[in-house]
Amino acid sequence: MKDLDWNNLGFSYIKTDYRFIAHWKDGKWDEGKLTTDNMLHIHEGSTEIHYGQQCFEGLKAYRCKDGSINLFRPDQNAKRMQHTSDRLLMPRVPTELFIRACKEVVKANQEWLGPYGSGATLYLRPFLFGTGENIGVKTAPEFIFSVFCCPVGAYFKGGLAPSNFITTDYDRAAPMGTGGVKVGGNYAASLLPHELAAEASTPERKFADAIYLDPKTHTKIEEVGAANFFGITKDNKFITPASESILPSITKYSLLYIAKERLGMEAIEGDVYIDQLNQFAEAGACGTAAVISPIERIDDLENGKSYVISKDGKPGPVCEKLYNKLRGIQYGDEPDTHGWVTIVE
Ligand code: PLP
Ligand code: COI
């Protein structure tokens, strides 16, 4: 195992030893292979550079108590990437190729995955983009699919400590646009709102990111930065928004299941109006990188209102239970009744 400060990793790029790369040309994928080269040499006319014909995924590898390594629902990431590819007229990466690439990258870089109990995971970044000679606005003649990985800790600095968020006038996506798929353009559009959150911060109160409201009416919560939103009502229901412009989070669907089947809660997808945040005893952001990040407070700068959800700087009891159950399944400590975990041999 590498000599890293495993308990205190943030979310930054650390160069690991191997990455996987596969090429699509003349209608088919090659086998793909591992390489130590972390630089890409691509055509200047690549559609990815000019027209944003690209997408990515994010999933993690977990070190279990017995030293083995788990991937969490990689088939769902493969499926989501295929759905994104359809929207951007890119060739689908077959699920077999996607999962094989992830497993090979984890195996080749297992020295970079910290010990069980440290909180460190190996974050995998699969990505797909159009390349090759081109200038017109059309789908590329060639594509590259690659997967690299980095050891990571908490995405939002507080980790399980509650974070603060703002709303802004900006949208990350449009109705019937690309909000529901994982394309880089959504994240380019989020850089300015993220910056505004940092600028709104004071020494007393840091804002971790921007919350996105529905692009049609700006009245309903959609996303929390690069994570989905969920709330726990005062009568103990798990509610998470449903909308075409929200990225369908694999973590969110896992939590809907855990809340219902393991915690016996009513768990639903439905509208979450920003002016009705007072219905919640707890709220959080969820995602692969974010895991579960409880929300302390949302400042709705558009309407000049503040909503304080958690007051004592600690995660609420339901957030904590959801976190423990989810982590338990990911690390192989809780029964995996639905085949969510893939063991990397
Ligand atoms: N929403 C956005 C915009 C994201 O970037 C992510 C991260 O992937 C999520 C939600 C959470 O999705 P998942 O749980 O599949 O990682
Ligand atoms: C993930 O959780 O995998 C994400 O995509 C967040 C990322 C943009 C940092």
Side-chain angles (χ1 to χ4, degrees):
M1 209 174 279
K2 300 280 170 187
D3 183 22
L4 298 185
D5 185 5
W6 297 113
N7 297 298
N8 294 300
L9 295 177
F11 196 86
S12 328
Y13 181 86
I14 293 175
K15 185 179 179 228
T16 54
D17 300 326
Y18 294 96
R19 60 278 304 122
F20 182 95
I21 188 158
H23 294 85
W24 184 93
K25 204 176 166 181
D26 302 328
K28 56 180 188 302
W29 287 104
D30 68 12
E31 275 288 292
K33 63 173 191 322
L34 290 174
T35 165
T36 55
D37 187 1
N38 71 337
M39 301 300 278
L40 291 160
H41 187 75
I42 58 170
H43 195 282
E44 61 189 356
S46 295
T47 56
E48 106 120 332
I49 301 171
H50 302 275
Y51 307 127
Q53 195 185 26
Q54 64 80 242
C55 67
F56 68 96
E57 275 300 325
L59 68 161
K60 283 175 172 171
Y62 305 84
R63 173 91 60 197
C64 305
K65 218 180 243 168
D66 65 2
S68 62
I69 301 175
N70 280 349
L71 286 173
F72 186 66
R73 308 190 78 177
D75 57 315
Q76 294 302 306
N77 292 92
K79 207 165 134 194
R80 190 168 64 190
M81 184 175 255
Q82 290 159 4
H83 179 62
T84 305
S85 303
D86 292 351
R87 178 67 178 80
L88 261 55
L89 287 189
M90 300 193 283
R92 289 178 162 207
V93 174
T95 303
E96 177 279 321
L97 174 58
F98 185 98
I99 295 180
R100 177 163 55 84
C102 292
K103 282 184 169 176
E104 284 192 23
V105 167
V106 173
K107 263 192 264 179
N109 292 294
Q110 49 187 292
E111 297 258 291
W112 295 95
L113 177 52
Y116 172 82
S118 64
T121 54
L122 201 54
Y123 180 74
L124 302 186
R125 173 51 63 84
F127 60 107
L128 165 67
F129 62 90
T131 181
E133 187 178 300
N134 181 61
I135 188 65
V137 183
K138 58 179 189 293
T139 189
E142 294 170 32
F143 289 84
I144 288 177
F145 167 62
S146 181
V147 182
F148 69 85
C149 69
C150 294
V152 299
Y155 180 69
F156 289 118
K157 278 204 180 68
L160 246 196
S163 299
N164 303 310
F165 297 88
I166 59 163
T167 66
T168 74
D169 294 339
Y170 294 102
D171 297 319
R172 60 182 275 285
M176 298 307 289
T178 55
V181 291
K182 206 160 166 60
V183 302
N186 299 341
Y187 298 83
S190 78
L191 295 176
L192 176 60
H194 180 85
E195 190 64 19
L196 294 176
E199 282 171 16
S201 298
T202 61
E204 294 77 43
R205 185 170 300 127
K206 294 267 175 276
F207 291 101
D209 212 332
I211 287 207
Y212 295 94
L213 301 178
D214 70 290
K216 220 181 246 169
T217 70
H218 265 227
T219 57
K220 295 179 265 185
I221 291 191
E222 293 224 324
E223 296 265 22
V224 188
N228 275 185
F229 175 92
F230 68 89
I232 311 298
T233 60
K234 289 178 179 156
D235 59 353
N236 204 38
K237 288 188 191 120
F238 178 101
I239 303 183
T240 181
S243 149
E244 291 289 323
S245 43
I246 293 178
L247 187 78
S249 156
I250 296 158
T251 315
K252 185 260 292 283
Y253 286 114
S254 308
L255 291 179
L256 272 166
Y257 168 82
I258 292 170
K260 190 159 179 264
E261 303 298 331
R262 302 257 172 116
L263 301 182
M265 299 168 69
E266 190 178 330
I268 49 174
E269 289 181 278
D271 291 337
V272 175
Y273 288 90
I274 181 96
D275 66 1
Q276 289 173 17
L277 279 173
N278 292 334
Q279 70 179 300
F280 294 118
E282 299 178 41
C286 66
T288 298
V291 195
I292 287 181
S293 286
I295 297 175
E296 177 163 311
R297 168 187 176 119
I298 298 172
D299 280 19
D300 181 8
L301 298 187
E302 273 189 82
N303 297 303
K305 290 196 180 142
S306 293
Y307 301 92
V308 179
I309 297 164
S310 119
K311 293 195 184 68
D312 59 2
K314 291 196 204 120
V318 180
C319 278
E320 212 165 348
K321 270 190 226 161
L322 288 168
Y323 180 91
N324 289 336
K325 289 272 175 212
L326 176 68
R327 282 323 223 184
I329 298 171
Q330 290 168 334
Y331 282 95
D333 296 334
E334 287 267 339
D336 173 30
T337 49
H338 285 67
W340 285 355
V341 161
T342 294
I343 299 167
V344 179
E345 310 108 285

